[in-house]
Amino acid sequence: MCISVFIWQAHPKYPFLILCNRDQNYSRPTYPLAWWWGEETILGGKDGLGGGTWLGSTRNGRIAFLTNFREVGTLPHPKTRGELPLLFLQSNKSPQEFAEEVVREAHQYNGFNLVVADISTSTMVYVFNRPDRDNPSFSLVTPGIHVLANASLDAPWAKAKRMRQSFEELIEEYGESDLPIKEMVEKLMTNRVKDEEWMLPGVQPREREHPLSAIFVETELPSGLYGTRSSSALLVKSNQEVTFYEKYLDLNQDPKQWKDKMVTYKINER
């Protein structure tokens, strides 16, 4: 269960900016932010089990990110959702063309929210296969601030409202100045405030939803320790410079440690 807040085509300096927390079982193998395969074509973290990603970008201006859709039932043998951002980043299809392709195969996945964008053409598309799994759909993302949690885009969950308000206040505070990427992550993505019981969406039992209602998650589920494994920020400047920052939990250390990495590159001209 993850959360992302982003601004699209609505800032004088940043055509796109996203902050994202990835929540996952501590036991699930994960690789931190890096260029994949050493070829410097796809940049992002990597799921060591499914082989996909939750947030990634490319040198030619493609960006994709994903959250799960909270639901009760799951498919017996689904495809891994993390492959969807990766497939877009590997393809040459426009966001709309790719969305049309995903919709045709969306029934093979558990609930997901997928956003794919092409900075070079200023196009962003939202693809989702819930709440009606038999009628997946997609739509263009409008300019402005959006929050993507574990319901549909901009669903009014209390957690999402807190995220939006904090993000709006930060954007207003800095105005047209450069945004401090590390400080943004520390200030906005470490919030451990949880919902009151009446605020919970009520999709799953209270004892499961309550610990997941914080922006930064730390809990124990029947499957083991679970929580925020990484916090990321991806900024695209109007001069086509991209900064990708990730703060991640290194579970290979004893005791576990938080580390970070930042990569900057320019989008290739087409």
Side-chain angles (χ1 to χ4, degrees):
M1 303 298 178
C2 311
I3 188 168
S4 300
V5 60
F6 62 96
I7 185 168
W8 171 245
Q9 301 293 329
H11 189 282
K13 183 167 285 189
Y14 301 97
F16 176 70
L17 184 165
I18 185 173
L19 301 176
C20 171
N21 272 359
R22 184 212 182 203
D23 306 330
Q24 188 52 267
N25 290 307
Y26 283 19
S27 61
R28 191 174 181 110
T30 298
Y31 300 100
L33 176 69
W35 289 105
W36 290 31
W37 307 300
E39 298 175 359
E40 296 205 353
T41 54
I42 295 175
L43 180 64
K46 186 175 184 179
D47 175 23
L49 184 62
T53 189
W54 53 97
L55 172 64
S57 64
T58 69
R59 287 190 179 275
N60 62 354
R62 297 167 78 81
I63 294 169
F65 52 100
L66 175 88
T67 69
N68 295 347
F69 194 100
R70 186 176 298 175
E71 54 190 341
V72 178
T74 58
L75 300 175
H77 304 290
K79 286 188 173 183
T80 178
R81 289 168 286 199
E83 74 175 12
L84 291 169
L86 181 59
L87 289 171
F88 174 73
L89 298 174
Q90 292 173 323
S91 79
N92 293 316
K93 296 181 174 67
S94 71
Q96 297 99 318
E97 290 170 339
F98 183 79
E100 291 171 356
E101 184 177 278
V102 171
V103 162
R104 290 195 292 269
E105 301 179 355
H107 63 281
Q108 301 178 55
Y109 299 87
N110 284 322
F112 68 80
N113 295 298
L114 173 68
V115 177
V116 293
D118 187 332
I119 299 299
S120 299
T121 62
S122 301
T123 308
M124 178 178 281
V125 174
Y126 166 56
V127 194
F128 56 107
N129 67 343
R130 296 295 187 273
D132 185 353
R133 70 177 65 201
D134 295 323
N135 292 288
S137 184
F138 68 90
S139 60
L140 287 173
V141 177
T142 57
I145 293 174
H146 300 276
V147 181
L148 188 62
N150 303 114
S152 57
L153 183 65
D154 295 322
W157 283 13
K159 174 178 180 175
K161 289 181 178 180
R162 287 196 300 275
M163 184 80 265
R164 176 188 289 273
Q165 181 177 350
S166 298
F167 187 74
E168 288 176 344
E169 290 172 354
L170 184 143
I171 294 296
E172 183 177 354
E173 176 184 349
Y174 284 93
E176 298 186 15
S177 303
D178 286 343
L179 293 170
I181 189 167
K182 291 186 179 182
E183 289 85 345
M184 289 165 55
V185 168
E186 289 298 325
K187 186 173 183 179
L188 301 186
M189 308 311 289
T190 59
N191 190 330
R192 291 171 168 80
V193 173
K194 299 180 180 66
D195 294 347
E196 297 292 336
E197 185 169 352
W198 61 270
M199 299 176 177
L200 298 172
V203 179
Q204 296 175 344
R206 177 211 169 277
E207 57 270 19
R208 178 178 174 85
E209 286 196 334
H210 186 253
L212 301 179
S213 66
I215 291 169
F216 186 95
V217 174
E218 287 179 309
T219 188
E220 186 166 3
L221 300 177
S223 57
L225 294 174
Y226 179 94
T228 300
R229 296 279 302 271
S230 65
S231 298
S232 304
L234 194 158
L235 295 79
V236 180
K237 286 187 175 181
S238 53
N239 66 358
Q240 303 292 284
E241 182 179 273
V242 179
T243 301
F244 200 150
Y245 171 75
E246 181 185 73
K247 179 181 177 183
Y248 63 95
L249 186 59
D250 186 349
L251 297 173
N252 295 319
Q253 302 292 317
D254 188 18
K256 61 183 183 290
Q257 297 179 13
W258 284 94
K259 298 181 179 180
D260 65 357
K261 184 175 183 179
M262 186 179 292
V263 178
T264 300
Y265 65 94
K266 290 275 284 192
I267 295 175
N268 296 331
E269 294 186 7
R270 297 185 190 176

